[in-house]
Amino acid sequence: MNPSCNLFIIGPTGAGKTSIGRRLAAHYGLPFVDLDQEIEQHCGVDVSTVFEIEGEAGFRQRESALLDECSQRPGVLLATGAGVVLAEHNRAHLRERGYVVWLQTTIEQQLERLERDHRRPLLAVPNRHERLQAMAQIREPIYRELADLTVPGEHGSVAAASERCIALIDHHWQRPSHASSQQTA
């Protein structure tokens, strides 16, 4: 949605939604909300434990409820979980309530970035490459359809990637005038 006072970051696991999202939030003067962290805060346990106890279906229900709540806040930068786009009602919330930025990445980049990360329940499999490929086949068309702006994934630092995002967002995102005047007040 353009214009919007909210920025929503979508993309696959390991795309940099949280690390880049924090920098974008600081740049635009928006509160930063990480959906997975919100789930952990509300549940009092990490995402892996939620998956272990409630399974993916239980996790997705919690994720949807918190997405609904967080996406209604005005003037936020929300970093979503990679799979939040799987449910149509979640896509509707994202589409209707914010400007959606898709951070792309390759499977090779994901494997490199997530090499030492063992906290992600959907990647607790013998062949991560195969799992990431299967997830990409399902999710990439959804990301593409949902995104107001696509940021190509490139190697480099978080700082460099954030600068690329800012340049693209500045060129395409139309912030409502009341949001920018609130930032200067």
Side-chain angles (χ1 to χ4, degrees), residues 66-108:
L66 281 168
L67 174 68
D68 183 28
E69 177 188 315
C70 294
S71 65
Q72 290 185 60
R73 299 175 189 168
V76 299
L77 190 142
L78 174 66
T80 68
V84 76
V85 300
L86 295 172
E88 174 54 44
H89 59 275
N90 290 344
R91 294 193 299 270
H93 292 327
L94 292 167
R95 193 179 300 114
E96 294 162 7
R97 298 176 182 167
Y99 187 73
V100 181
V101 177
W102 171 25
L103 298 183
Q104 291 181 315
T105 191
T106 65
I107 305 271
E108 290 71 28

Short mmCIF file of all heavy atoms in Angstrom, two decimals, residues 66-108:
data_model
loop_
_atom_site.label_atom_id
_atom_site.label_comp_id
_atom_site.label_asym_id
_atom_site.label_seq_id
_atom_site.Cartn_x
_atom_site.Cartn_y
_atom_site.Cartn_z
N LEU A 66 -0.72 -12.03 16.34
CA LEU A 66 0.19 -10.93 16.63
C LEU A 66 0.43 -10.05 15.41
O LEU A 66 0.61 -8.84 15.54
CB LEU A 66 1.50 -11.44 17.21
CG LEU A 66 1.37 -11.78 18.69
CD1 LEU A 66 2.59 -12.55 19.18
CD2 LEU A 66 1.18 -10.53 19.53
N LEU A 67 0.43 -10.63 14.22
CA LEU A 67 0.54 -9.81 13.01
C LEU A 67 -0.65 -8.86 12.92
O LEU A 67 -0.49 -7.67 12.63
CB LEU A 67 0.61 -10.67 11.75
CG LEU A 67 0.58 -9.85 10.45
CD1 LEU A 67 1.85 -9.03 10.29
CD2 LEU A 67 0.35 -10.75 9.26
N ASP A 68 -1.84 -9.38 13.19
CA ASP A 68 -3.04 -8.54 13.16
C ASP A 68 -2.87 -7.37 14.13
O ASP A 68 -3.11 -6.22 13.78
CB ASP A 68 -4.27 -9.37 13.50
CG ASP A 68 -5.56 -8.58 13.42
OD1 ASP A 68 -5.64 -7.60 12.64
OD2 ASP A 68 -6.50 -8.92 14.16
N GLU A 69 -2.44 -7.67 15.35
CA GLU A 69 -2.27 -6.64 16.37
C GLU A 69 -1.17 -5.63 15.99
O GLU A 69 -1.38 -4.42 16.01
CB GLU A 69 -1.93 -7.30 17.70
CG GLU A 69 -1.66 -6.33 18.82
CD GLU A 69 -1.13 -7.01 20.06
OE1 GLU A 69 -1.69 -8.06 20.45
OE2 GLU A 69 -0.14 -6.50 20.64
N CYS A 70 0.00 -6.14 15.64
CA CYS A 70 1.15 -5.26 15.37
C CYS A 70 0.98 -4.44 14.10
O CYS A 70 1.44 -3.30 14.05
CB CYS A 70 2.43 -6.09 15.29
SG CYS A 70 2.90 -6.88 16.84
N SER A 71 0.34 -5.00 13.09
CA SER A 71 0.19 -4.27 11.82
C SER A 71 -0.84 -3.15 11.92
O SER A 71 -0.92 -2.30 11.03
CB SER A 71 -0.17 -5.23 10.69
OG SER A 71 -1.44 -5.82 10.90
N GLN A 72 -1.63 -3.13 13.00
CA GLN A 72 -2.59 -2.05 13.20
C GLN A 72 -1.96 -0.83 13.87
O GLN A 72 -2.57 0.24 13.90
CB GLN A 72 -3.77 -2.54 14.03
CG GLN A 72 -4.64 -3.52 13.27
CD GLN A 72 -5.87 -3.89 14.06
OE1 GLN A 72 -6.68 -3.04 14.40
NE2 GLN A 72 -6.01 -5.18 14.35
N ARG A 73 -0.77 -1.00 14.42
CA ARG A 73 -0.09 0.13 15.05
C ARG A 73 0.31 1.12 13.97
O ARG A 73 0.88 0.74 12.95
CB ARG A 73 1.16 -0.34 15.80
CG ARG A 73 0.86 -1.33 16.91
CD ARG A 73 2.16 -1.84 17.52
NE ARG A 73 1.89 -2.95 18.43
CZ ARG A 73 2.83 -3.73 18.92
NH1 ARG A 73 4.11 -3.53 18.62
NH2 ARG A 73 2.51 -4.71 19.73
N PRO A 74 0.07 2.40 14.18
CA PRO A 74 0.46 3.38 13.16
C PRO A 74 1.94 3.76 13.27
O PRO A 74 2.46 3.94 14.36
CB PRO A 74 -0.43 4.58 13.48
CG PRO A 74 -0.71 4.46 14.95
CD PRO A 74 -0.72 2.99 15.26
N GLY A 75 2.59 3.85 12.12
CA GLY A 75 3.96 4.32 12.08
C GLY A 75 4.97 3.37 12.68
O GLY A 75 5.77 3.75 13.52
N VAL A 76 4.97 2.10 12.22
CA VAL A 76 5.94 1.12 12.70
C VAL A 76 6.70 0.50 11.53
O VAL A 76 6.22 0.50 10.40
CB VAL A 76 5.29 -0.03 13.52
CG1 VAL A 76 4.62 0.48 14.76
CG2 VAL A 76 4.35 -0.86 12.68
N LEU A 77 7.87 -0.02 11.83
CA LEU A 77 8.57 -0.89 10.89
C LEU A 77 8.48 -2.29 11.47
O LEU A 77 8.97 -2.53 12.58
CB LEU A 77 10.03 -0.47 10.71
CG LEU A 77 10.68 -1.23 9.55
CD1 LEU A 77 11.62 -0.34 8.78
CD2 LEU A 77 11.33 -2.50 9.99
N LEU A 78 7.84 -3.18 10.75
CA LEU A 78 7.58 -4.54 11.21
C LEU A 78 8.37 -5.53 10.36
O LEU A 78 8.19 -5.58 9.15
CB LEU A 78 6.09 -4.84 11.12
CG LEU A 78 5.63 -6.27 11.43
CD1 LEU A 78 5.89 -6.62 12.89
CD2 LEU A 78 4.16 -6.44 11.09
N ALA A 79 9.26 -6.28 11.01
CA ALA A 79 9.97 -7.38 10.36
C ALA A 79 9.16 -8.64 10.63
O ALA A 79 8.99 -9.04 11.78
CB ALA A 79 11.38 -7.50 10.92
N THR A 80 8.66 -9.24 9.58
CA THR A 80 7.81 -10.43 9.72
C THR A 80 8.65 -11.70 9.77
O THR A 80 9.84 -11.67 9.45
CB THR A 80 6.83 -10.55 8.54
OG1 THR A 80 7.58 -10.84 7.35
CG2 THR A 80 6.01 -9.29 8.36
N GLY A 81 8.00 -12.79 10.12
CA GLY A 81 8.62 -14.09 9.97
C GLY A 81 8.52 -14.50 8.51
O GLY A 81 7.65 -14.02 7.78
N ALA A 82 9.41 -15.37 8.07
CA ALA A 82 9.47 -15.75 6.66
C ALA A 82 8.19 -16.41 6.16
O ALA A 82 7.80 -16.22 5.01
CB ALA A 82 10.65 -16.69 6.43
N GLY A 83 7.50 -17.15 7.02
CA GLY A 83 6.32 -17.89 6.59
C GLY A 83 4.99 -17.19 6.84
O GLY A 83 3.93 -17.74 6.55
N VAL A 84 5.03 -15.97 7.35
CA VAL A 84 3.79 -15.26 7.67
C VAL A 84 2.92 -15.06 6.42
O VAL A 84 1.70 -14.99 6.50
CB VAL A 84 4.08 -13.91 8.38
CG1 VAL A 84 4.56 -12.86 7.39
CG2 VAL A 84 2.88 -13.42 9.15
N VAL A 85 3.55 -15.02 5.26
CA VAL A 85 2.83 -14.77 4.00
C VAL A 85 2.02 -15.96 3.52
O VAL A 85 1.23 -15.83 2.57
CB VAL A 85 3.81 -14.34 2.88
CG1 VAL A 85 4.54 -13.07 3.26
CG2 VAL A 85 4.79 -15.45 2.54
N LEU A 86 2.16 -17.10 4.17
CA LEU A 86 1.46 -18.31 3.71
C LEU A 86 -0.05 -18.21 3.88
O LEU A 86 -0.79 -18.82 3.11
CB LEU A 86 2.00 -19.54 4.44
CG LEU A 86 3.48 -19.86 4.14
CD1 LEU A 86 3.97 -20.98 5.05
CD2 LEU A 86 3.67 -20.20 2.67
N ALA A 87 -0.53 -17.47 4.85
CA ALA A 87 -1.97 -17.35 5.10
C ALA A 87 -2.51 -16.11 4.38
O ALA A 87 -1.97 -15.02 4.52
CB ALA A 87 -2.25 -17.25 6.59
N GLU A 88 -3.60 -16.30 3.66
CA GLU A 88 -4.20 -15.19 2.90
C GLU A 88 -4.59 -14.02 3.79
O GLU A 88 -4.39 -12.87 3.43
CB GLU A 88 -5.40 -15.68 2.08
CG GLU A 88 -6.16 -14.57 1.37
CD GLU A 88 -5.30 -13.66 0.48
OE1 GLU A 88 -4.46 -14.17 -0.26
OE2 GLU A 88 -5.49 -12.41 0.55
N HIS A 89 -5.17 -14.30 4.98
CA HIS A 89 -5.58 -13.19 5.84
C HIS A 89 -4.37 -12.38 6.31
O HIS A 89 -4.47 -11.17 6.49
CB HIS A 89 -6.44 -13.67 7.02
CG HIS A 89 -5.79 -14.67 7.91
ND1 HIS A 89 -5.78 -16.02 7.65
CD2 HIS A 89 -5.10 -14.50 9.06
CE1 HIS A 89 -5.12 -16.66 8.60
NE2 HIS A 89 -4.69 -15.76 9.47
N ASN A 90 -3.21 -13.03 6.47
CA ASN A 90 -1.99 -12.29 6.81
C ASN A 90 -1.55 -11.41 5.65
O ASN A 90 -1.16 -10.25 5.85
CB ASN A 90 -0.86 -13.25 7.18
CG ASN A 90 -1.08 -13.96 8.49
OD1 ASN A 90 -1.92 -13.57 9.30
ND2 ASN A 90 -0.34 -15.04 8.71
N ARG A 91 -1.63 -11.95 4.45
CA ARG A 91 -1.27 -11.15 3.27
C ARG A 91 -2.18 -9.95 3.14
O ARG A 91 -1.73 -8.84 2.82
CB ARG A 91 -1.32 -12.01 2.00
CG ARG A 91 -0.28 -13.10 1.98
CD ARG A 91 -0.11 -13.75 0.62
NE ARG A 91 -1.27 -14.41 0.09
CZ ARG A 91 -1.59 -15.68 0.28
NH1 ARG A 91 -0.84 -16.45 1.06
NH2 ARG A 91 -2.66 -16.20 -0.28
N ALA A 92 -3.46 -10.13 3.45
CA ALA A 92 -4.40 -9.00 3.38
C ALA A 92 -4.02 -7.92 4.39
O ALA A 92 -4.03 -6.73 4.05
CB ALA A 92 -5.83 -9.49 3.63
N HIS A 93 -3.66 -8.31 5.60
CA HIS A 93 -3.24 -7.33 6.61
C HIS A 93 -2.02 -6.56 6.13
O HIS A 93 -1.95 -5.34 6.26
CB HIS A 93 -2.92 -8.00 7.95
CG HIS A 93 -4.11 -8.57 8.66
ND1 HIS A 93 -5.37 -8.03 8.59
CD2 HIS A 93 -4.20 -9.65 9.47
CE1 HIS A 93 -6.20 -8.75 9.33
NE2 HIS A 93 -5.51 -9.75 9.86
N LEU A 94 -1.04 -7.28 5.60
CA LEU A 94 0.19 -6.63 5.14
C LEU A 94 -0.12 -5.67 3.98
O LEU A 94 0.32 -4.52 3.97
CB LEU A 94 1.22 -7.68 4.71
CG LEU A 94 1.78 -8.54 5.85
CD1 LEU A 94 2.54 -9.74 5.29
CD2 LEU A 94 2.68 -7.72 6.75
N ARG A 95 -0.89 -6.16 3.03
CA ARG A 95 -1.22 -5.37 1.83
C ARG A 95 -2.00 -4.10 2.20
O ARG A 95 -1.73 -3.04 1.67
CB ARG A 95 -2.05 -6.26 0.90
CG ARG A 95 -2.25 -5.76 -0.49
CD ARG A 95 -3.08 -6.73 -1.34
NE ARG A 95 -2.47 -8.06 -1.47
CZ ARG A 95 -2.99 -9.18 -0.97
NH1 ARG A 95 -4.12 -9.17 -0.30
NH2 ARG A 95 -2.38 -10.33 -1.14
N GLU A 96 -2.94 -4.23 3.12
CA GLU A 96 -3.85 -3.12 3.44
C GLU A 96 -3.29 -2.14 4.45
O GLU A 96 -3.74 -1.00 4.52
CB GLU A 96 -5.18 -3.68 3.97
CG GLU A 96 -5.94 -4.47 2.92
CD GLU A 96 -7.02 -5.37 3.52
OE1 GLU A 96 -7.28 -5.31 4.74
OE2 GLU A 96 -7.59 -6.17 2.75
N ARG A 97 -2.30 -2.55 5.24
CA ARG A 97 -1.88 -1.72 6.37
C ARG A 97 -0.46 -1.16 6.26
O ARG A 97 -0.02 -0.46 7.17
CB ARG A 97 -1.99 -2.53 7.67
CG ARG A 97 -3.41 -2.96 7.95
CD ARG A 97 -3.48 -3.83 9.18
NE ARG A 97 -4.84 -4.27 9.43
CZ ARG A 97 -5.16 -5.23 10.28
NH1 ARG A 97 -4.22 -5.83 10.99
NH2 ARG A 97 -6.42 -5.58 10.43
N GLY A 98 0.25 -1.46 5.19
CA GLY A 98 1.61 -0.96 5.11
C GLY A 98 2.21 -1.06 3.73
O GLY A 98 1.63 -1.63 2.81
N TYR A 99 3.40 -0.48 3.62
CA TYR A 99 4.21 -0.56 2.42
C TYR A 99 5.13 -1.76 2.59
O TYR A 99 5.91 -1.82 3.54
CB TYR A 99 5.00 0.75 2.25
CG TYR A 99 5.75 0.82 0.95
CD1 TYR A 99 5.07 1.03 -0.24
CD2 TYR A 99 7.13 0.69 0.91
CE1 TYR A 99 5.75 1.10 -1.45
CE2 TYR A 99 7.82 0.77 -0.28
CZ TYR A 99 7.13 0.97 -1.46
OH TYR A 99 7.79 1.04 -2.66
N VAL A 100 5.02 -2.73 1.70
CA VAL A 100 5.68 -4.03 1.86
C VAL A 100 6.97 -4.09 1.05
O VAL A 100 6.95 -3.92 -0.18
CB VAL A 100 4.74 -5.18 1.45
CG1 VAL A 100 5.42 -6.53 1.65
CG2 VAL A 100 3.43 -5.12 2.25
N VAL A 101 8.07 -4.34 1.75
CA VAL A 101 9.39 -4.44 1.14
C VAL A 101 9.87 -5.88 1.23
O VAL A 101 9.94 -6.45 2.33
CB VAL A 101 10.40 -3.50 1.85
CG1 VAL A 101 11.79 -3.65 1.25
CG2 VAL A 101 9.93 -2.05 1.78
N TRP A 102 10.19 -6.47 0.08
CA TRP A 102 10.68 -7.84 0.01
C TRP A 102 12.19 -7.83 -0.09
O TRP A 102 12.75 -7.32 -1.06
CB TRP A 102 10.06 -8.55 -1.19
CG TRP A 102 10.60 -9.91 -1.52
CD1 TRP A 102 11.22 -10.80 -0.68
CD2 TRP A 102 10.55 -10.55 -2.80
NE1 TRP A 102 11.55 -11.95 -1.36
CE2 TRP A 102 11.16 -11.83 -2.66
CE3 TRP A 102 10.05 -10.19 -4.04
CZ2 TRP A 102 11.27 -12.72 -3.72
CZ3 TRP A 102 10.16 -11.07 -5.09
CH2 TRP A 102 10.76 -12.33 -4.93
N LEU A 103 12.85 -8.41 0.92
CA LEU A 103 14.31 -8.58 0.87
C LEU A 103 14.59 -9.94 0.24
O LEU A 103 14.30 -10.98 0.84
CB LEU A 103 14.91 -8.52 2.28
CG LEU A 103 14.76 -7.24 3.07
CD1 LEU A 103 15.49 -7.35 4.41
CD2 LEU A 103 15.27 -6.04 2.29
N GLN A 104 15.13 -9.91 -0.95
CA GLN A 104 15.47 -11.16 -1.63
C GLN A 104 16.81 -11.69 -1.14
O GLN A 104 17.66 -10.92 -0.66
CB GLN A 104 15.57 -10.94 -3.14
CG GLN A 104 14.26 -10.64 -3.82
CD GLN A 104 14.45 -10.47 -5.31
OE1 GLN A 104 15.36 -9.79 -5.77
NE2 GLN A 104 13.56 -11.08 -6.08
N THR A 105 17.01 -12.97 -1.30
CA THR A 105 18.30 -13.60 -1.04
C THR A 105 18.35 -14.92 -1.80
O THR A 105 17.30 -15.45 -2.18
CB THR A 105 18.54 -13.81 0.47
OG1 THR A 105 19.89 -14.19 0.69
CG2 THR A 105 17.62 -14.84 1.07
N THR A 106 19.53 -15.43 -2.02
CA THR A 106 19.67 -16.72 -2.70
C THR A 106 19.77 -17.83 -1.65
O THR A 106 20.07 -17.58 -0.48
CB THR A 106 20.95 -16.75 -3.57
OG1 THR A 106 22.09 -16.66 -2.71
CG2 THR A 106 20.95 -15.61 -4.58
N ILE A 107 19.56 -19.05 -2.09
CA ILE A 107 19.70 -20.20 -1.20
C ILE A 107 21.13 -20.27 -0.66
O ILE A 107 21.34 -20.54 0.52
CB ILE A 107 19.34 -21.52 -1.95
CG1 ILE A 107 17.96 -21.43 -2.56
CG2 ILE A 107 19.55 -22.73 -1.05
CD1 ILE A 107 16.80 -21.85 -1.76
N GLU A 108 22.10 -20.00 -1.52
CA GLU A 108 23.50 -20.04 -1.10
C GLU A 108 23.77 -19.01 -0.01
O GLU A 108 24.47 -19.29 0.96
CB GLU A 108 24.43 -19.81 -2.31
CG GLU A 108 24.46 -20.97 -3.29
CD GLU A 108 23.16 -21.14 -4.10
OE1 GLU A 108 22.44 -20.14 -4.34
OE2 GLU A 108 22.87 -22.29 -4.48
#
